[in-house]
């Protein structure tokens, strides 16, 4: 391998690839990034076995030469060192030259680095994902859907399937579901995909989707998604992001979503969020996060929480609409805040079926998002 | 106690006071902030026994009423909760009303908070520092002097005195010294203080000075400093910052600073810093941080480092001036970088007395700063 590459483009590609490198991998070769040079350009590959990232620096961008490959070749170089040194090299051009064996010389200005690389042949081969199921989704929309559900995924590794977000594609609609058994969040988007496209049971780790979110730029630029049996491939510009699909059967959550309510409320989102946040600060001191909502006469509600040591927060607010049975309910205010903070509409709908039944929260301006919280069973 | 106060001014004062509150204090009352209201305004006090902060919100600022005290009084309220809730209250005005005992009602808009406070009588009394020794120093200058020495203080609690910075005031000049026995950093400033003002042996914890730095605004505004036997008081605007003085005798470092050199070098600060930084990245992989400088003929030096597993970084650069004996020396590159990064002049001076003697680093444009690093004794 012998090539010259522009520093900025290489740095960007190395930073992307480094995101899939675990800082404490048991497999030495996975602490590296694989460099593959051919006359099309330079491909970088990294993997932590859960996720793999492949990124490509083309020979030319808009007619400007970026990589000049004199001798194609492959080598694995240490990820952490490369991610830090590349951006600190003194000149705009960097030269890589493989010597005998796995030794590589990196030169930039007066800096000369002799690296001991690893055999590229030993680097794991990325999964081959067929192209039978490919969908497209605008980057911003995908990031938003992840943001609107990811907090409800479980962090308990004893039920691995619940640490993921379930993806369902049916009738042109993509739906995400996450639940930790105490709460559930779903959101959906119409992709205008053909009716024939469907996948029912793909569950992707929340941690992986969090990494993916950080790679997707804030733009309408579509992300291409190809799903196979146990792998999903996301293509974001020049970056390929591979994720393993979680094993196991995701619980059927369709029947736990109530369709009718004994008490219905419409309320200003920001006003409620701020009031719940104040009550949360007091409830947090008690470690339980318990906050209560009580309906008063004349369309008002009272929000309150207390801590044995510190005291009590109480406030009343007017609902835009409040109909049905009187109510007194206690819930985890952290869960309520997580849901309220991802709802972008000015007003929200909250539906109740008594103090023992799930609370349903959704925006008033659409049914693209829905959150469920199980109440606490408290006395008094 | 009964008063009405503006939210923004109270929030600012509470945030300052909260900086002296330890998150895990063994003494319950120290997890609180003491509120003292009289007709002059509201005074907040906090302490973690090492440092204490007192801040004051006056009744009026520039003729605008800020605090209106109806009934003077004192109470201790929980710091963490207050630091978070005050800024989140719904209205611009906040009302405090002490009920019977230590119960306080806080009201803002529709929010009603019942707090259980603690007895202000039990809060420790701040030290009474006489005003026999008062000096003034511009805030920015003081922050800079802390920044230029603090990294060289020891983090090893087995020699407590070395975890501080030594302050010496003599002949109108204030001098800071910090050392961890492997390196030493000093800086000084002419305060134009009277010749008669002097203190010789005040040592203040680096951790405390770091907290102090975060309170001093970036401005020429003078900080007033009053020193007593075992306490120092800093006055920054409306904030009083008390610090304990460390016990023990600081080592006499005056004689370890070499005055003559066998090899002298002047070199571009930025160019050297960047080269040492690249070599540091490789040396860090070896955990030793060892970097070597070797003088070559014709005014060039070579900087290099190596790691058994990763390889070797080498680069040559031209010194502006290089005189004296040939040299080959190894040192901790992290220590060198710490010193180089606080030197603001374009060029630096480095003086050597062979491979076993201390390295002296200072700006070429003044003698206000000086750093010493002990070399490594290596073979080869």
């Amino acid at each position: 391998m012998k090539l010259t590459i522009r520093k900025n483009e290489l740095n960007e590609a190395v930073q992307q690839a480094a995101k899939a490198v675990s800082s404490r991998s048991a497999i030495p070769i996975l602490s590296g990034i694989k460099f593959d040079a051919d006359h099309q350009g330079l491909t970088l590959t990294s993997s932590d076995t859960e996720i793999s990232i492949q990124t490509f620096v083309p020979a030319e961008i808009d007619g400007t030469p970026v990589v000049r490959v004199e001798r194609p070749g492959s080598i694995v170089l240490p990820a952490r060192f490369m991610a830090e040194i590349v951006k600190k090299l003194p000149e705009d051009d960097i030269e890589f030259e493989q010597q005998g064996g796995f030794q590589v010389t990196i030169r930039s200005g007066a800096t000369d680095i002799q690296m001991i690389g690893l055999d590229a042949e030993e680097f794991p081969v990325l999964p081959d994902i067929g192209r039978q199921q490919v969908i497209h989704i605008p980057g911003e929309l995908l990031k938003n859907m992840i943001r609107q559900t990811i907090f409800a995924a479980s962090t308990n590794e004893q039920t691995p399937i619940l640490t993921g977000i379930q993806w369902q594609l049916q009738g042109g609609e993509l739906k995400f579901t996450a639940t930790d058994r105490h709460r559930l969040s779903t959101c959906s988007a119409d992709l205008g995909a053909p009716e024939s496209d469907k996948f029912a049971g793909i569950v992707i780790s929340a941690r992986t989707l969090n990494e993916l979110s950080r790679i997707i730029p804030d733009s309408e630029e579509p992300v291409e998604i190809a799903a196979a049996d146990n792998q999903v491939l996301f293509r974001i510009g020049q970056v390929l992001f591979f994720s393993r699909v979680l094993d196991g059967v995701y619980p059927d959550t369709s029947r736990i979503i109530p369709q009718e309510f004994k008490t219905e409320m419409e309320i200003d989102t920001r006003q409620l969020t701020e009031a719940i946040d104040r009550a949360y600060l007091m409830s947090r001191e008690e470690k339980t996060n318990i906050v209560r909502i009580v309906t008063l006469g004349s369309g008002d509600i009272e929000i309150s929480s207390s801590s044995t040591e510190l005291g009590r927060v109480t406030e009343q607010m007017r609902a835009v609409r409040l109909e049905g049975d009187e109510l007194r309910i206690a819930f985890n205010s952290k869960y309520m805040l997580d849901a309220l903070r991802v709802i972008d509409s000015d007003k929200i709908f909250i539906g109740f079926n008594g103090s023992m039944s799930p609370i349903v929260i959704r925006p008033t301006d659409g049914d693209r998002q829905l959150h469920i919280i199980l109440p606490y069973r408290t006395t008094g």
Side-chain angles (χ1 to χ4, degrees), chain A:
Chain A
M1 186 172 90
K2 186 172 179 188
L3 62 89
T4 307
I5 186 166
R6 286 186 4 168
K7 180 169 70 174
N8 289 346
E9 283 77 3
L10 176 62
N11 181 44
E12 207 175 299
V14 168
Q15 300 306 329
Q16 297 284 30
K19 290 185 178 131
V21 180
S22 161
S23 57
R24 44 204 164 81
S25 178
I27 308 163
I29 199 145
L30 294 187
S31 67
I33 295 173
K34 183 159 68 108
F35 285 62
D36 290 300
D38 63 22
H39 292 293
Q40 269 79 58
L42 177 68
T43 303
L44 304 185
T45 310
S46 61
S47 177
D48 70 357
T49 70
E50 279 288 319
I51 63 176
S52 305
I53 292 177
Q54 191 163 82
T55 170
F56 177 66
V57 186
E60 284 189 5
I61 293 175
D62 299 334
T64 309
V66 175
V67 190
R68 193 162 44 80
V69 175
E70 274 184 56
R71 200 165 68 230
S74 298
I75 188 81
V76 176
L77 294 175
R80 187 172 88 130
F81 180 75
M82 293 305 290
E84 297 213 47
I85 196 77
V86 167
K87 58 173 173 261
K88 291 182 170 173
L89 287 172
E91 298 290 330
D92 287 341
D93 281 317
I94 303 172
E95 196 186 310
F96 285 75
E97 183 173 3
Q98 190 167 359
Q99 317 292 347
F102 306 123
Q103 181 143 338
V104 176
T105 303
I106 304 172
R107 281 187 214 93
S108 176
T111 307
D112 177 295
I113 306 174
Q114 302 293 331
M115 296 295 301
I116 305 161
L118 294 167
D119 187 357
E121 292 290 321
E122 287 180 17
F123 204 84
V125 175
L126 292 187
D128 186 16
I129 294 181
R131 304 190 45 88
Q132 63 274 45
Q133 283 205 8
V134 176
I135 62 170
H136 292 86
I137 174 167
E140 274 190 329
L141 176 60
L142 177 56
K143 278 173 87 159
N144 241 331
M145 289 180 70
I146 294 171
R147 183 178 70 95
Q148 287 168 355
T149 49
I150 196 165
F151 55 85
S154 173
T155 53
N156 183 344
E157 293 292 339
Q158 292 196 310
T159 49
I161 193 78
L162 295 188
T163 64
I165 294 179
Q166 184 193 37
W167 293 46
Q168 289 169 296
L169 177 66
Q170 200 161 17
E173 190 187 64
L174 179 66
K175 184 176 174 185
F176 283 12
T177 305
T179 179
D180 63 4
R181 295 194 201 277
H182 303 289
R183 55 175 162 175
L184 177 145
S185 290
T186 71
C187 67
S188 56
D190 191 350
L191 299 192
E195 288 286 330
S196 60
D197 281 5
K198 56 170 72 178
F199 43 78
I202 289 183
V203 183
I204 304 174
S205 149
R207 207 168 48 82
T208 299
L209 290 173
N210 192 35
E211 284 295 328
L212 177 68
S213 273
R214 297 202 284 154
I215 286 182
I216 301 172
D218 287 315
S219 78
E220 291 285 307
E221 192 76 26
V223 174
E224 183 186 301
I225 304 169
D229 282 351
N230 62 351
Q231 286 281 344
V232 184
L233 165 60
F234 301 86
R235 182 191 299 273
I236 309 121
Q238 296 284 14
V239 180
L240 300 183
F241 184 102
F242 295 80
S243 167
R244 209 165 63 77
V245 167
L246 292 183
D247 293 329
V249 178
Y250 203 80
D252 178 10
T253 57
S254 61
R255 278 178 313 174
I256 69 165
I257 299 172
Q259 302 301 324
E260 292 184 350
F261 303 100
K262 290 186 185 152
T263 311
E264 297 195 350
M265 189 188 291
E266 264 180 55
I267 201 157
D268 183 85
T269 310
R270 185 162 152 238
Q271 226 184 324
L272 181 69
T273 307
E274 291 179 358
I276 298 281
D277 192 15
R278 288 186 284 265
Y280 160 71
L281 287 180
M282 181 65 83
S283 72
R284 191 181 58 173
E285 299 290 329
E286 203 68 5
K287 307 267 193 289
T288 58
N289 296 343
I290 294 179
V291 166
R292 285 185 172 72
I293 289 183
V294 177
T295 55
L296 307 174
S298 69
D300 282 358
I301 62 167
E302 185 180 273
I303 295 160
S304 66
S305 68
S306 58
S307 143
T308 330
E309 292 203 354
L310 297 199
R312 182 178 171 82
V313 174
T314 317
E315 68 189 89
Q316 296 180 7
M317 57 186 289
R318 173 65 48 101
V320 180
R321 178 170 75 85
L322 178 57
E323 285 169 11
D325 295 356
E326 282 189 16
L327 180 81
R328 165 182 288 272
I329 196 165
F331 53 87
N332 184 324
S333 52
K334 175 68 169 51
Y335 293 176
M336 176 73 89
L337 279 179
D338 284 343
L340 292 176
R341 283 181 176 144
V342 298
I343 294 178
D344 299 325
S345 67
D346 291 345
K347 293 190 183 55
I348 54 157
F349 168 92
I350 310 188
F352 305 89
N353 283 302
S355 64
M356 299 301 205
S357 301
I359 304 167
V360 170
I361 305 157
R362 59 173 169 74
T364 52
D365 64 357
D367 57 355
R368 289 307 190 187
Q369 230 192 106
L370 185 142
H371 307 275
I372 294 181
I373 299 172
L374 294 190
Y376 276 125
R377 297 171 184 216
T378 64
T379 50

